[in-house]
Amino acid sequence: MPTMTMIESIRDAHAVAMEADETVVVFGEDVGYFGGVFRCTQGLQKRFGKTRCFDAPINESGIVGAAIGMAAHGLRPCIEIQFADYMYPAYDQIVSEAARIRYRSAGDFTVPLTIRMPVGGGIFGGETHSQSPEALFTHVAGLKTVIPSNPYDAKGLLITSIEDDDPVIFLEPKRLYNGPFDGYHDRPVIPWSKHPLSEVPEGHYKVPLGRAAIRRPGSAVTVLAYGTMVHVALAAARDFNIDAEVIDLRSLVPLDLDTIITSVKKTGRCAVVHEATLTSGFGAELCSLVQKHAFYYLESPIERIAGYDTPYPHAQEWAYFPGPDRIGHALSRVLEG
Amino acid sequence: MPTMTMIESIRDAHAVAMEADETVVVFGEDVGYFGGVFRCTQGLQKRFGKTRCFDAPINESGIVGAAIGMAAHGLRPCIEIQFADYMYPAYDQIVSEAARIRYRSAGDFTVPLTIRMPVGGGIFGGETHSQSPEALFTHVAGLKTVIPSNPYDAKGLLITSIEDDDPVIFLEPKRLYNGPFDGYHDRPVIPWSKHPLSEVPEGHYKVPLGRAAIRRPGSAVTVLAYGTMVHVALAAARDFNIDAEVIDLRSLVPLDLDTIITSVKKTGRCAVVHEATLTSGFGAELCSLVQKHAFYYLESPIERIAGYDTPYPHAQEWAYFPGPDRIGHALSRVLEG
Amino acid sequence: MSELVDGDLRGNAREVPLILAIPEPARRPGDTPDFSSLKFSNAGEVRRPEVSDAPETMYDLATGLIRVLDDEGRAVGPWAADIDKDTLLSGLRNMMLTREYDRRMMLDQRQGKTSFYMQCTGEEAISCAFRMALSDGDMNFPTYRQQGLLISSGYPLELMMSQVYSNSHDPLRGRQLPVMYSSKEYGFFSISGNLATQFVQAVGWAMASAIRGSSAIAAGWIGDGATAESDFHSAMVMASTYNAPVILNIVNNQWAISTYQAFALGRSATFAMRGSGFGLPSLRVDGNDFLAVYAASAWAVERARSNQGPTLIEWVTYRAAAHSSSDDPSSYRPKDEALAWPLGDPIDRLKRHLIAVGAWSEKDHDELLVSVQDQISRAQAEAESYGTLRNGPKPSPRDIFEGVYAEMPNHLRLQRQEAGY
Amino acid sequence: MSELVDGDLRGNAREVPLILAIPEPARRPGDTPDFSSLKFSNAGEVRRPEVSDAPETMYDLATGLIRVLDDEGRAVGPWAADIDKDTLLSGLRNMMLTREYDRRMMLDQRQGKTSFYMQCTGEEAISCAFRMALSDGDMNFPTYRQQGLLISSGYPLELMMSQVYSNSHDPLRGRQLPVMYSSKEYGFFSISGNLATQFVQAVGWAMASAIRGSSAIAAGWIGDGATAESDFHSAMVMASTYNAPVILNIVNNQWAISTYQAFALGRSATFAMRGSGFGLPSLRVDGNDFLAVYAASAWAVERARSNQGPTLIEWVTYRAAAHSSSDDPSSYRPKDEALAWPLGDPIDRLKRHLIAVGAWSEKDHDELLVSVQDQISRAQAEAESYGTLRNGPKPSPRDIFEGVYAEMPNHLRLQRQEAGY
Ligand SMILES: Cc1ncc(C[n+]2csc(CCOP(=O)(O)OP(=O)(O)O)c2C)c(N)n1
Ligand SMILES: Cc1ncc(C[n+]2csc(CCOP(=O)(O)OP(=O)(O)O)c2C)c(N)n1
Ligand SMILES: [Mg+2]
Ligand SMILES: [Mg+2]
């Protein structure tokens, strides 16, 4: 099986979906001729033609709004927002429109739309190239929110998302594009080809939404993570010698609550990790669900390890980033508690 | 002391703030000549002139963006978004700009801006006149989020917000504008004048941000609520005969964690109530904080009583609204758990 | 207020204090209505270019006013087309149906049968004539004031009413605010409560039509006030860049709730001029003149259909009724402003034209009115038998949870179970 | 693709399949550059109306190109003003400083002293001449490509560099991406990473100036690509409605990262025409002609300062360098396109003018370059002594938590304590 980087597997997912279904169209800022600033759509315009993959004016609201109109016509648009930090101008179209058209029209019109966007820090991108706005989507009924942590899942989840009949927010941890990242920013970069989950089948396959993956079985504490933080949490467990069960959520809505609760009932302890700012982050939802469904099994308070409640700083990136050290210490607290 | 409706006390707060400080300016859609669709700015244009209170084009991003520019010049704008449901087009200006300009400019520019908006359901407003988007603000570092439940607080909190040197999101539960509402939609409306907190001092006074109020002391369970739900929670406690301690949070960021935790440590049980959709609502943050800071005092899982994870329906409004019955049953579960 | 000026804000050559301009309508409550500041052409005065003319040769059309019917009810000038009598009569009937429908629903709102209602009184010609220029399969992206589109397309009135009542036959299952209809079959996109979002969606739909090599075109609708919204711009940019087969309609009814059109318009003379800034042919048309609306619509439809791209149209009209059932315009404009509106009433004008050309009589008209009222009454009785917001059968609370997604996810199923529905 | 068309999307009269237009630049990598599709006036050709003329008489200015310097370096035509030699020489110096500054910072980025950098090569005349037409106290709301504004206002170069290095002297305490400067004192609003937001903020600042009866005006800045953003529209609407004392500058450098200007422009001939749609005087100016920039800027400044309202200006130029240090333009445009740019290089053109009028020589120029390079080197050495992103002193991690609010709230204090800073 070929190994791929995350960029390659995302590109491949596009091609497979476009090949399988003529109604799939791809557009966004710089995605056409150039193939996207992260090159995730490279080659598609050449292969599928200019009306299947094209550049867009810099207007995120217009891109999403036009895609909604296309979806209402029967197309299946898969669009790119250049950075998640730039989705805010489109937020009205996402929240008030894409998410609610099926409901408000009682199924008369639907929006089979995928909105891809790179998220997360770790590239010295400063406050507007580092954000993780997943909680701003998970709060919105009618949206699904997906976030892969490796090339295999990225391809399978993206194909599933494009084929899904509802709007899916597809978050791509940009720090993982070219290699797994365990949070040790000062160590040499490891290429994806060294990681088993870079083995990506050719052609069409799906990874279902709402199914988590246990990346490391363990008995001492359940760690809930997604995207980049899966790798960082695994590093923390390894380096702090903690027998953590690390769960990669993969999709936040729908959520695989069974896997989570089964694990917490087994370990009796839980921690949640994300890059997004702490307050009202998706970690809060996870905490609430765990304490509700596994209350009598919990032996210590659930810890959240998250971005601080500040904008994402530039120079202090590695003091801000919830690295293995911060996670490790938090896990130790959970074990002691 | 005069009694006032919430509309009157908000109007009065504007007048007091504008009188005290010439840099306070008020604008928004229909707020000038007409005085706002809920009449919260009525009379201000006449009294303070057309350049202190004026109408705006229907462009929420433009309204907030222009207000940010004005604030950078040294004015203190207090603007109205006609319904919270219409804030999404302004979300980029709020999140990427208002919230971060102090930080990113290291204090060189600041944004002393208040953004008022009516929230919540109960008026058969359907999906776009009923929303409660507070969690979309509490997740954003740099914003403060305030929500009064009565005329006294509304005036004091609004004056404090206008005088605050940072952007404040001021949420006004529209179902409370003309009278307290306990969730029994089929009973006669009670006027504010019958409620002690409709007594509003004349002139200038402040209610500090970050200070909750205990509306009903109790020992059986702590109920965290804000806005309309404070009244509904009180009705539930009364009608289900539950000795609940009902806390009116008043401001969500900053949050009065001390009052919350002290209460939960006393009662050993906790429930959180809001109208906003459940998943990733502000209730999730409250749950997470309570389980972290009072874990060893909790005798049963914290319950969240919230809007269902659907758009806000029109005809089924009262099946959707978290009324006293739903709260009462949830509180009973908390007591049994 | 000069004491407010920081020292460091003063420059050298700055004698004049700056002034903020706040637009103001000519007249307020108590004043005599006055529309003399609005610039209108005479009937027949504005030229009719070829559909295939270069857009940059057409900018004059954005400042004139295309009118066909003159004061005597005659059809004059280059936009006067040969429309057969049946078309005009069915247009007349559609407009009258729309007006009677509004009257009845407004009454029902006042009687508590529903929570909310919005009329389009005075604006009927625009949606009714426009719809007749479209073909089946084309798609409108309307605002809440284009009920005439649905009515003109023959959509069942009792279904519209059932939506307004949120009753057991409501096709939208009680979920939506009254008047927020949706019908794919009848070419009517689900109405949004958020202004302007539909304008760029219309462009997207048209783009899809072009991507798929279809021949169906789209029409976006927006109010004068809502042109200020950002998505107006998004629509203009997208339509202009991809030459989308879409007609972008601005219904300028002078008011946006209490706010006079000048707040959205700014210093520009007309809304149609916005289109010139994007290189689009832009028409400004008398929206109360059925014949002008029909002719201009057909012109724009032909342009879109023949791959010549988008057209922007400003329909000049007047919102004769309140903004909605929650509004009372007497607190912000002269009570009798509607009567003083210089472009008259669209139904009355078409009626006078038909009489002038000998195709109609007062008696015919009275009979038509009776027939229209009868049709409305029958539809109303049927709709009410399915319930209203306050009485009778209703959509189920189970419906709250359905249709959020194609398939109900676990967390929603759980919530529904807990709710007991 | 006709098999994709649903049956119900077909109408009656629909023979022609619709087509989607996708703009494309004239030339791609490997092709010979070709700008023949762009329409430029000759130097001196465009008329100069009075500042007080009615906006609707000025729409022709949106399609011409205001130019002063002809091919021989002479200043010709109605926009040729009598600018004293010192002003021109300081403009030349500012442009050269800006270019050398860019060169140096780009080099430092390549050497790992910082994470990111953005040059404005070829566009220096616009910000440098514009700034000289403003007064102290006026406020710019720039994008990331107006470093010339700061440099022309005499802002300390070592502070700019410290910001780029995110070092211990960085006025923004390491929080912001390199080049996102901020200086209230120097009339330079904090740069945002989110495109276009500043454009309407500029209008708000200008409105505040008018509300307060001040005489300071504002200037908004935006790129050609970003005019497609919604906040461009917000700015136009607000400026037009309130007649705000603001100058709205579009820097059309032909590219938006890899996207050709036509994607934002659509069917319109120029970006300046957008302003005509709002009833605003709109100038289209040769942005590589220092004298034209200065004259047009002064004209717009006078208009704003004298309560005659906003002016939109499209500065026509070319982005000669990469979009940023992360970009390689050779994959989307011909490598030598910059050299083929018909409007030349702004520094070279001003130099030739000064020589032509006998105020300058090649030797003077060489000496100036040495002096400029020396100034940059000294500033650089000083800035580097305060650290760079990779070496030396840095802003403290404590700074992460400060300045989020005027006063640190409890929850942030707690987070800082937990973090151990
Ligand atoms: C985004 C948004 N902002 C504000 C509103 C509130 N609102 C509803 S209708 C209206 C006025 C619209 O006026 P116009 O566009 O002229 O249409 P008209 O009502 O005259 O047909 C306003 C401000 C809204 N629905 N959506
Ligand atoms: C809201 C938003 N969307 C997208 C981006 C990413 N982006 C940064 S610069 C740029 C191109 C801007 O081009 P233009 O406006 O022409 O300015 P130029 O770079 O040519 O000076 C893009 C798409 C962004 N910063 N903000
Ligand atoms: Mg209107
Ligand atoms: Mg550009």
Side-chain angles (χ1 to χ4, degrees), chain D residues 66-78:
Chain D
I66 296 170
R67 305 179 64 183
V68 169
L69 290 173
D70 70 9
D71 291 346
E72 278 74 50
R74 284 174 312 210
V76 298

PDB file of all heavy atoms in Angstrom, chain D residues 66-78:
ATOM      1  N   ILE D  66      -4.877  58.375 -14.081  1.00  0.00           N
ATOM      2  CA  ILE D  66      -4.181  59.637 -13.814  1.00  0.00           C
ATOM      3  C   ILE D  66      -2.677  59.375 -13.779  1.00  0.00           C
ATOM      4  O   ILE D  66      -2.202  58.562 -12.987  1.00  0.00           O
ATOM      5  CB  ILE D  66      -4.664  60.254 -12.492  1.00  0.00           C
ATOM      6  CG1 ILE D  66      -6.151  60.620 -12.600  1.00  0.00           C
ATOM      7  CG2 ILE D  66      -3.817  61.459 -12.107  1.00  0.00           C
ATOM      8  CD1 ILE D  66      -6.781  61.024 -11.270  1.00  0.00           C
ATOM      9  N   ARG D  67      -1.965  60.057 -14.671  1.00  0.00           N
ATOM     10  CA  ARG D  67      -0.510  59.894 -14.735  1.00  0.00           C
ATOM     11  C   ARG D  67       0.119  61.275 -14.923  1.00  0.00           C
ATOM     12  O   ARG D  67      -0.410  62.119 -15.635  1.00  0.00           O
ATOM     13  CB  ARG D  67      -0.115  59.007 -15.922  1.00  0.00           C
ATOM     14  CG  ARG D  67      -0.819  57.659 -15.897  1.00  0.00           C
ATOM     15  CD  ARG D  67      -0.435  56.821 -17.088  1.00  0.00           C
ATOM     16  NE  ARG D  67       0.988  56.489 -17.051  1.00  0.00           N
ATOM     17  CZ  ARG D  67       1.613  55.812 -18.006  1.00  0.00           C
ATOM     18  NH1 ARG D  67       0.946  55.420 -19.084  1.00  0.00           N
ATOM     19  NH2 ARG D  67       2.881  55.549 -17.901  1.00  0.00           N
ATOM     20  N   VAL D  68       1.254  61.469 -14.320  1.00  0.00           N
ATOM     21  CA  VAL D  68       1.945  62.750 -14.429  1.00  0.00           C
ATOM     22  C   VAL D  68       3.268  62.590 -15.163  1.00  0.00           C
ATOM     23  O   VAL D  68       3.597  63.352 -16.063  1.00  0.00           O
ATOM     24  CB  VAL D  68       2.159  63.368 -13.021  1.00  0.00           C
ATOM     25  CG1 VAL D  68       3.093  64.557 -13.089  1.00  0.00           C
ATOM     26  CG2 VAL D  68       0.815  63.764 -12.402  1.00  0.00           C
ATOM     27  N   LEU D  69       4.020  61.570 -14.821  1.00  0.00           N
ATOM     28  CA  LEU D  69       5.359  61.398 -15.408  1.00  0.00           C
ATOM     29  C   LEU D  69       5.264  60.725 -16.772  1.00  0.00           C
ATOM     30  O   LEU D  69       4.707  59.636 -16.898  1.00  0.00           O
ATOM     31  CB  LEU D  69       6.237  60.551 -14.486  1.00  0.00           C
ATOM     32  CG  LEU D  69       6.653  61.219 -13.180  1.00  0.00           C
ATOM     33  CD1 LEU D  69       7.384  60.213 -12.273  1.00  0.00           C
ATOM     34  CD2 LEU D  69       7.538  62.434 -13.460  1.00  0.00           C
ATOM     35  N   ASP D  70       5.827  61.370 -17.788  1.00  0.00           N
ATOM     36  CA  ASP D  70       5.818  60.731 -19.098  1.00  0.00           C
ATOM     37  C   ASP D  70       7.078  59.879 -19.288  1.00  0.00           C
ATOM     38  O   ASP D  70       7.896  59.744 -18.366  1.00  0.00           O
ATOM     39  CB  ASP D  70       5.629  61.766 -20.219  1.00  0.00           C
ATOM     40  CG  ASP D  70       6.864  62.655 -20.378  1.00  0.00           C
ATOM     41  OD1 ASP D  70       7.922  62.373 -19.743  1.00  0.00           O
ATOM     42  OD2 ASP D  70       6.774  63.646 -21.129  1.00  0.00           O
ATOM     43  N   ASP D  71       7.228  59.326 -20.452  1.00  0.00           N
ATOM     44  CA  ASP D  71       8.324  58.379 -20.666  1.00  0.00           C
ATOM     45  C   ASP D  71       9.701  59.030 -20.564  1.00  0.00           C
ATOM     46  O   ASP D  71      10.710  58.354 -20.346  1.00  0.00           O
ATOM     47  CB  ASP D  71       8.186  57.705 -22.047  1.00  0.00           C
ATOM     48  CG  ASP D  71       6.976  56.770 -22.071  1.00  0.00           C
ATOM     49  OD1 ASP D  71       6.450  56.460 -20.974  1.00  0.00           O
ATOM     50  OD2 ASP D  71       6.553  56.365 -23.168  1.00  0.00           O
ATOM     51  N   GLU D  72       9.714  60.356 -20.738  1.00  0.00           N
ATOM     52  CA  GLU D  72      11.001  61.057 -20.609  1.00  0.00           C
ATOM     53  C   GLU D  72      11.235  61.556 -19.181  1.00  0.00           C
ATOM     54  O   GLU D  72      12.186  62.304 -18.932  1.00  0.00           O
ATOM     55  CB  GLU D  72      11.062  62.243 -21.583  1.00  0.00           C
ATOM     56  CG  GLU D  72      11.455  61.850 -23.003  1.00  0.00           C
ATOM     57  CD  GLU D  72      10.312  61.136 -23.723  1.00  0.00           C
ATOM     58  OE1 GLU D  72       9.184  61.672 -23.704  1.00  0.00           O
ATOM     59  OE2 GLU D  72      10.537  60.019 -24.235  1.00  0.00           O
ATOM     60  N   GLY D  73      10.328  61.231 -18.285  1.00  0.00           N
ATOM     61  CA  GLY D  73      10.510  61.683 -16.908  1.00  0.00           C
ATOM     62  C   GLY D  73      10.018  63.089 -16.676  1.00  0.00           C
ATOM     63  O   GLY D  73      10.276  63.681 -15.617  1.00  0.00           O
ATOM     64  N   ARG D  74       9.286  63.648 -17.645  1.00  0.00           N
ATOM     65  CA  ARG D  74       8.750  64.997 -17.443  1.00  0.00           C
ATOM     66  C   ARG D  74       7.405  64.924 -16.745  1.00  0.00           C
ATOM     67  O   ARG D  74       6.637  63.975 -16.959  1.00  0.00           O
ATOM     68  CB  ARG D  74       8.565  65.696 -18.796  1.00  0.00           C
ATOM     69  CG  ARG D  74       9.862  66.187 -19.402  1.00  0.00           C
ATOM     70  CD  ARG D  74       9.592  66.716 -20.787  1.00  0.00           C
ATOM     71  NE  ARG D  74       8.774  65.769 -21.566  1.00  0.00           N
ATOM     72  CZ  ARG D  74       8.835  65.636 -22.886  1.00  0.00           C
ATOM     73  NH1 ARG D  74       9.657  66.398 -23.598  1.00  0.00           N
ATOM     74  NH2 ARG D  74       8.070  64.759 -23.523  1.00  0.00           N
ATOM     75  N   ALA D  75       7.089  65.952 -15.952  1.00  0.00           N
ATOM     76  CA  ALA D  75       5.782  66.037 -15.291  1.00  0.00           C
ATOM     77  C   ALA D  75       4.842  66.818 -16.187  1.00  0.00           C
ATOM     78  O   ALA D  75       5.087  68.000 -16.475  1.00  0.00           O
ATOM     79  CB  ALA D  75       5.915  66.728 -13.936  1.00  0.00           C
ATOM     80  N   VAL D  76       3.784  66.174 -16.636  1.00  0.00           N
ATOM     81  CA  VAL D  76       2.906  66.830 -17.614  1.00  0.00           C
ATOM     82  C   VAL D  76       1.440  66.716 -17.212  1.00  0.00           C
ATOM     83  O   VAL D  76       1.043  65.836 -16.456  1.00  0.00           O
ATOM     84  CB  VAL D  76       3.071  66.201 -19.029  1.00  0.00           C
ATOM     85  CG1 VAL D  76       4.496  66.400 -19.537  1.00  0.00           C
ATOM     86  CG2 VAL D  76       2.711  64.716 -19.020  1.00  0.00           C
ATOM     87  N   GLY D  77       0.656  67.655 -17.735  1.00  0.00           N
ATOM     88  CA  GLY D  77      -0.796  67.571 -17.596  1.00  0.00           C
ATOM     89  C   GLY D  77      -1.334  68.250 -16.350  1.00  0.00           C
ATOM     90  O   GLY D  77      -0.583  68.789 -15.527  1.00  0.00           O
ATOM     91  N   PRO D  78      -2.665  68.217 -16.208  1.00  0.00           N
ATOM     92  CA  PRO D  78      -3.318  68.992 -15.147  1.00  0.00           C
ATOM     93  C   PRO D  78      -3.014  68.514 -13.739  1.00  0.00           C
ATOM     94  O   PRO D  78      -3.225  69.238 -12.770  1.00  0.00           O
ATOM     95  CB  PRO D  78      -4.809  68.831 -15.466  1.00  0.00           C
ATOM     96  CG  PRO D  78      -4.917  67.600 -16.293  1.00  0.00           C
ATOM     97  CD  PRO D  78      -3.651  67.507 -17.064  1.00  0.00           C
TER      98      PRO D  78
END
